[in-house]
Amino acid sequence: MDAHNTMFKALLLEKDDAGFRAGVTTLDTARLPAAGDVLVQPEYSTLNYKDGLALTNKAPVVRNWPMVAGIDGAGTVLESGHPAWKAGDRFVHNGYGVGETHWGCLAERARLKGDWLVALPAAFTPRQAMAIGTAGYTAMLCVMALERHGVQPAGPGAGEVLVTGATGGVGSVAVAVLARLGYRVVAATGKAAEADYLQALGASSVIDRAELAAPGKPLQKERWAAVVDAVGSHTLVNALAQTRYGGAVAACGLAQGADLPGTVMPFILRNVALLGVDSVMAPLTLRQQAWARLARDLDPALLERMTTEVSLEGAVAAAQRLMAGQVRGRVVVKIG
Ligand SMILES: NC(=O)c1ccc[n+]([C@@H]2O[C@H](COP(=O)([O-])OP(=O)(O)OC[C@H]3O[C@@H](n4cnc5c(N)ncnc54)[C@H](OP(=O)(O)O)[C@@H]3O)[C@@H](O)[C@H]2O)c1
């Protein structure tokens, strides 16, 4: 398809009296949202947890119908009315409600706001940027939040770092980055058979997530210097209760649940910090820093190891596998 062809392929989500439907269809570029000053050609997109929810209609992620799916995209700018972007530039996009309220990147064309885009780091191809995706960029935001708190791989206060949801997208990237930075990483997973995978990413040991999943005491034996938590609920509460004096927990996910059924004891008796991490509305400068850090601190060979690829036509089935907990690491979607 050339740049000016008016028809493009997209994964469209529809919901009406006939129910919910998700499928690849052909749309006219004239239908792209007017709220956007840059026309782009995504070469790759990805399936994040939230894409999985949207594509399977498991949670109310999509706010306007019909919706072109795809929270993330990476590819080439085709036309721009934004001063920072010109045709031919390579971009990466994450979040900002794309695929939720604004037509997304599981499509051969998207019209996005230039203010949302980050220049694709020279270190990455569009495929690699989508292998990272919102999940991997959020993992880096978690690492940076811990660093701002003063967590370090060596020296005073250094110790084991726990990563929960470890075989997932956020978890896999967090394990790989933290290990490369020199931390001793303990990976918590429900997939015992993936222990070799987690060790290959750099985990020094692997624990059963069941150890963290049930209600526990408000204060437990101090173990973690820091935690990256993608799971929430009792897992997050137990992680807080096991964090060492002065340590920090970066919380970004809710794979177990959105509840926080705990006490203030770790905060008021152990000076533990709970650091919230949001990727969707993160400011541009923080995004640029996170992408620069990923270019430096994530081994591309490990990124490849955690990645599987599907076609646009295969995205819905892959989303179903993701929601069934059958996916390891990251899924990229090749567009076109
Ligand atoms: N704050 C943000 O901006 C932001 C950005 C990206 C993602 N997130 C959130 O972060 C979470 C992880 O995202 P992701 O892309 O990594 O998803 P993912 O690839 O599906 O991974 C989630 C992992 O969590 C673990 N898990 C699943 N169900 C669980 C349960 N009931 N109890 C405990 N662990 C469970 C599994 O790992 P094991 O099998 O290894 O245990 C699973 O692989 C999601 O909740 C997502 O919404 C938030």
Side-chain angles (χ1 to χ4, degrees), residues 46-49 72 92 94 124 128-144 168-178 228 230 252 277 279 287 289-295 297-298 303 306-307 329-331:
T46 180
L47 297 180
N48 296 291
Y49 189 83
D72 294 340
V92 55
N94 303 107
F124 296 129
Q128 287 172 315
M130 288 297 96
I132 294 167
T134 281
Y137 137 72
T138 301
M140 182 51 89
L141 291 178
C142 290
V143 172
M144 290 163 62
V170 172
S172 293
V173 175
V175 169
V177 166
L178 287 164
V228 172
C252 72
V277 173
S279 68
R287 289 167 187 261
Q289 284 166 20
W291 278 99
R293 286 289 306 275
L294 285 158
D297 297 330
L298 177 61
L303 180 63
M306 60 181 86
T307 303
R330 301 277 301 129
V331 179

Side-chain angles (χ1 to χ4, degrees), residues 81 96 103 106 139 178 218 247 269 289 307 313 332:
Y96 278 122
W103 278 15
L106 280 162
L178 287 164
L269 294 181
Q289 284 166 20
T307 303
E313 287 74 13
V332 292

Side-chain angles (χ1 to χ4, degrees), residues 68-119:
V68 173
I71 291 165
D72 294 340
T76 307
V77 171
L78 297 177
E79 292 168 9
S80 173
H82 187 283
W85 297 95
K86 61 177 187 324
D89 287 346
R90 309 282 259 168
F91 75 94
V92 55
H93 172 83
N94 303 107
Y96 278 122
V98 167
E100 302 178 53
T101 56
H102 183 105
W103 278 15
C105 294
L106 280 162
E108 291 173 323
R109 292 287 183 274
R111 188 172 290 126
L112 303 173
K113 293 191 179 171
D115 287 348
W116 294 342
L117 306 179
V118 169

Side-chain angles (χ1 to χ4, degrees), residues 47-50 53 134-135 138 164-171 188-191 198 209 213 230-231 235 251-256 277-280 322-323 325 327 329-330:
L47 297 180
N48 296 291
Y49 189 83
K50 207 194 267 179
L53 293 171
T134 281
T138 301
T164 64
T167 69
V170 172
T189 183
K191 301 189 186 84
L198 290 166
R209 78 183 188 201
V231 169
T235 299
C252 72
L254 42 60
Q256 183 180 13
V277 173
D278 166 65
S279 68
V280 180
L322 186 70
M323 290 295 95
V327 169
R330 301 277 301 129

